[in-house]
Amino acid sequence: MRRVFGAKKDKEPPPSVNDASDRINKRGESVDEKIKRLDGELARYKEQIKKTRPGPAQEAVKARAMRVLKQKRMYEGQRDMLYNQTFNLDQVAFASEGIKDAQQTMSALKSANKELKGMMKTVKIQDIDNLQDEMMDMMDISNEIQESLGRSYGVPDDIDEDELLGELDALEADMGQETEGEGVPSYLQPDNEPDLNEELNLPSAPSGHAVPAGRVNNQAVDEFGFPAVPHASLRN
């Protein structure tokens, strides 16, 4: 049967958006090259028109330049059309990529939702509440144990706190009176020990003023005019 009717040919897959966009870009590049070539010819014809005198020769050059200019306009129209097609294909490709991203996002969300459901089956709100209540009860019991262990023995419960505060204030007042005379350090307090000069019965040091000869402050003086030192014995 295949020899009579022939084998069925497999259909080629339709071109993708990227394939179509690449093909149009190549055509656009070809059109751009043609436009550049025509621009070169127009520039050459402009130079010839400037160099030739008005007449049949100049008119012939102008006619060739007009023909080239028409071709350039045609190619520019094709190029604009190709650019518009490329822009449309880019929009379609962008929309297609957006849909693919949305599909992947939905697939990831479904997988995460399934996983969360499996995890939520192992965690129950009631169990968490019961655990919190048990922890609070244990903390309360621990506080009661600490308070019980911290009680003082032999202290009566009917002690008046105001009375204790009054006794404390009186004690602080008494302590303040006792320490009033002790505010100055011992090394700054006046020395109550007997003066050694009085013990030796020594005269005071001479001043810078002149004194009469013979006696100073009703005391005997030596040959140099200084008070004589009496011969006194030290007391034990």
Side-chain angles (χ1 to χ4, degrees):
M1 295 297 291
R2 290 184 179 180
R3 293 179 181 178
V4 177
F5 298 101
K8 186 177 179 180
K9 297 181 179 180
D10 296 332
K11 292 183 179 180
E12 295 181 358
S16 62
V17 176
N18 293 329
D19 295 338
S21 179
D22 293 339
R23 184 171 180 273
I24 293 174
N25 288 330
K26 291 180 180 179
R27 288 182 58 192
E29 292 175 357
S30 177
V31 172
D32 287 335
E33 292 179 357
K34 293 179 179 180
I35 292 174
K36 289 180 180 180
R37 179 174 57 80
L38 293 176
D39 287 335
E41 293 181 4
L42 286 175
R44 187 173 65 254
Y45 288 146
K46 287 180 181 179
E47 293 295 330
Q48 292 179 2
I49 292 172
K50 290 180 181 179
K51 293 178 180 180
T52 57
R53 295 179 180 180
Q58 190 181 44
E59 293 297 331
V61 175
K62 288 183 179 180
R64 289 194 294 270
M66 288 296 293
R67 185 177 66 251
V68 173
L69 185 60
K70 288 180 181 179
Q71 291 179 0
K72 179 183 176 183
R73 298 292 185 186
M74 180 185 66
Y75 286 134
E76 287 177 349
Q78 291 180 1
R79 183 184 62 184
D80 295 338
M81 181 181 63
L82 293 174
Y83 284 166
N84 290 332
Q85 292 179 6
T86 304
F87 178 73
N88 294 332
L89 289 173
D90 290 340
Q91 286 185 331
V92 173
F94 182 77
S96 177
E97 293 295 330
I99 293 174
K100 289 179 180 179
D101 293 340
Q103 289 177 349
Q104 292 180 358
T105 303
M106 288 296 298
S107 177
L109 289 175
K110 288 180 180 179
S111 177
N113 187 20
K114 183 178 180 181
E115 185 177 358
L116 286 174
K117 286 182 179 179
M119 294 172 63
M120 292 299 294
K121 291 180 180 179
T122 59
V123 179
K124 296 181 180 179
I125 301 298
Q126 186 64 34
D127 295 339
I128 296 175
D129 293 338
N130 294 335
L131 180 61
Q132 291 290 341
D133 293 338
E134 290 178 0
M135 291 296 295
M136 293 179 65
D137 293 339
M138 286 190 291
M139 291 300 296
D140 293 338
I141 295 173
S142 176
N143 292 333
E144 291 179 0
I145 292 173
Q146 295 297 327
E147 291 178 358
S148 178
L149 294 175
R151 292 179 181 176
S152 300
Y153 301 102
V155 178
D157 296 333
D158 56 350
I159 295 177
D160 189 1
E161 293 185 359
D162 295 336
E163 184 179 354
L164 293 177
L165 291 175
E167 293 181 3
L168 180 61
D169 293 338
L171 181 61
E172 291 179 354
D174 294 340
M175 292 177 64
Q177 292 177 359
E178 292 178 358
T179 57
E180 284 181 357
E182 300 176 358
V184 181
S186 60
Y187 61 86
L188 295 180
Q189 294 181 2
D191 190 6
N192 295 325
E193 295 181 359
D195 190 1
L196 183 60
N197 293 332
E198 294 180 357
E199 292 287 340
L200 298 176
N201 194 16
L202 295 176
S204 59
S207 61
H209 301 285
V211 295
R215 301 185 65 85
V216 177
N217 293 332
N218 297 326
Q219 293 183 359
V221 295
D222 58 3
E223 58 183 356
F224 298 103
F226 294 100
V229 177
H231 298 281
S233 59
L234 295 176
R235 290 184 300 174
N236 294 330

